Amino acid sequence: MEKLTDKHIKDFLENASLYTWQEFERPDFDRESLWINEIDAYCETCKQSRPFQYLGSRGGGAGMPRKQLTSGQSFFQFTCVSCHNEKHEYLVEQVVSDETIKLQKYGELPRKHLDRDPLLQKFFSNDKDYYEKAVVCLANGYGIAAFAYMRRIIENNIGELLDMLQEEINSTNADHSLLDKLSELKKETPMSEKIKVANNAMPDYLTPSGLNPLGRLYQVLSEGVHKYSDEVCLERANTLQTCIKYLVSELASRKKNRESFKSLIGSL
Ligand SMILES: [Zn+2]
């Protein structure tokens, strides 16, 4: 369990699903409230992600006795710093004990925008019903279901992902021994073997800070739904989505750049 910081509260307000609890260790200093100054959110007026800030006064004031955060409810209202028009509001219940602080979001306005990634929607077009269900489950914090749907979609589409990788490596003259490893991944081999191969089947430029998204995908795919709690499954489902999103978007944009470069140079 991590000690509660402003960053945790920001993440919680921005991302937590309604009616799911998150528990934190109580910080060393006593917070008076869950107050934070700023969140980031999509602004419907500005049509982009903007900082939203709390515009009221913080209360208290010099010489006032310092209060301690107690169990109860907190209301947050943040206003877009650019248009001063759009507001994001949150209702949070907090349960404070000597050691821990538990948070639950029980209200949110505007209704949270479900993150249907257009690239993934296209990539998963043969499984769009499953992807839609996975997105809804992720947004509601239904971890076991989200993990099961994400696993199914990725198992169905991993061949296509390997094809995209193959095409990328073929056209960039990267280390061609990687191609052998990719074709090995298409064979029927035990999952433990696949994880090992996948961890060595990627060009360096697709492993940001040494993190290998393909290896991670196989690692998480090898982990069964039955073993884990709802919370851990939710984390796994998010990992799957993050890894596949990174790979699909990197590969698609590199391909697009290659093609536009080719057509530009070709027309000169
Ligand atoms: Zn705005």
Side-chain angles (χ1 to χ4, degrees):
M1 210 189 310
E2 294 178 58
K3 275 199 184 110
L4 184 70
T5 61
D6 284 3
K7 171 91 173 49
H8 288 126
I9 297 173
K10 179 173 184 284
D11 280 348
F12 174 81
L13 293 177
E14 290 171 358
N15 301 315
S17 317
L18 287 179
Y19 309 120
T20 55
W21 287 95
Q22 285 187 20
E23 191 170 15
F24 301 92
E25 202 181 305
R26 211 167 147 163
D28 299 329
F29 68 96
D30 267 322
R31 297 189 74 101
E32 287 177 52
S33 69
L34 297 174
W35 185 91
I36 57 169
N37 179 48
E38 184 176 290
I39 59 157
D40 293 300
Y42 185 81
C43 178
E44 283 296 337
T45 298
C46 302
K47 298 287 174 213
Q48 56 177 307
S49 178
R50 296 302 306 145
F52 281 66
Q53 287 185 347
Y54 174 71
L55 295 181
S57 79
R58 234 197 119 164
M64 294 285 286
R66 211 178 147 77
K67 287 180 295 186
Q68 276 187 4
L69 180 66
T70 52
S71 295
Q73 287 88 35
S74 301
F75 171 64
F76 298 81
Q77 187 184 64
F78 300 95
T79 307
C80 173
V81 297
S82 299
C83 63
H84 293 276
N85 180 36
E86 295 294 329
K87 290 183 170 45
H88 277 246
E89 297 178 345
Y90 305 92
L91 290 164
V92 172
E93 178 183 7
Q94 72 268 6
V95 176
V96 182
S97 75
D98 286 346
E99 276 90 37
T100 65
I101 297 176
K102 278 171 69 180
L103 303 176
Q104 171 190 220
K105 203 192 273 176
Y106 67 97
E108 175 165 3
L109 275 178
R111 187 180 183 141
K112 194 149 86 184
H113 170 77
L114 295 189
D115 180 25
R116 288 180 194 80
D117 187 86
L119 263 176
L120 284 185
Q121 246 172 348
K122 195 171 151 221
F123 182 69
F124 292 142
S125 56
N126 291 327
D127 292 286
K128 57 175 183 297
D129 290 349
Y130 285 159
Y131 180 55
E132 186 64 25
K133 287 178 183 176
V135 166
V136 172
C137 290
L138 280 171
N140 286 294
Y142 303 153
I144 295 172
F147 189 32
Y149 283 123
M150 283 308 290
R151 273 181 55 130
R152 173 67 66 85
I153 311 168
I154 288 173
E155 278 163 359
N156 288 350
N157 292 277
I158 197 134
E160 204 179 318
L161 181 72
L162 295 176
D163 290 343
M164 283 172 81
L165 267 166
Q166 229 156 5
E167 195 190 331
E168 161 73 26
I169 290 167
N170 258 325
S171 59
T172 52
N173 265 336
D175 181 359
H176 274 236
S177 71
L178 297 176
L179 291 174
D180 301 335
K181 292 182 183 127
L182 287 177
S183 35
E184 216 171 304
L185 284 174
K186 290 187 173 172
K187 293 182 197 145
E188 288 290 323
T189 45
M191 213 35 166
S192 54
E193 201 50 45
K194 287 194 181 198
I195 299 170
K196 255 187 267 167
V197 176
N199 271 325
N200 293 302
M202 294 279 281
D204 287 344
Y205 58 82
L206 288 176
T207 53
S209 321
L211 294 170
N212 184 321
L214 190 66
R216 197 83 182 95
L217 270 184
Y218 277 100
Q219 171 77 46
V220 178
L221 284 179
S222 74
E223 296 168 345
V225 165
H226 54 279
K227 278 199 286 191
Y228 299 112
S229 68
D230 218 18
E231 288 76 26
V232 174
C233 282
L234 189 63
E235 219 179 273
R236 297 288 194 275
N238 273 316
T239 303
L240 285 179
Q241 177 167 255
T242 307
C243 289
I244 193 115
K245 202 159 142 176
Y246 173 79
L247 283 172
V248 170
S249 69
E250 281 293 305
L251 293 170
S253 78
R254 294 181 74 90
K255 185 177 175 183
K256 209 172 131 200
N257 285 340
R258 271 200 308 275
E259 281 167 359
S260 74
F261 176 70
K262 237 173 26 196
S263 73
L264 268 174
I265 290 293
S267 67
L268 288 178

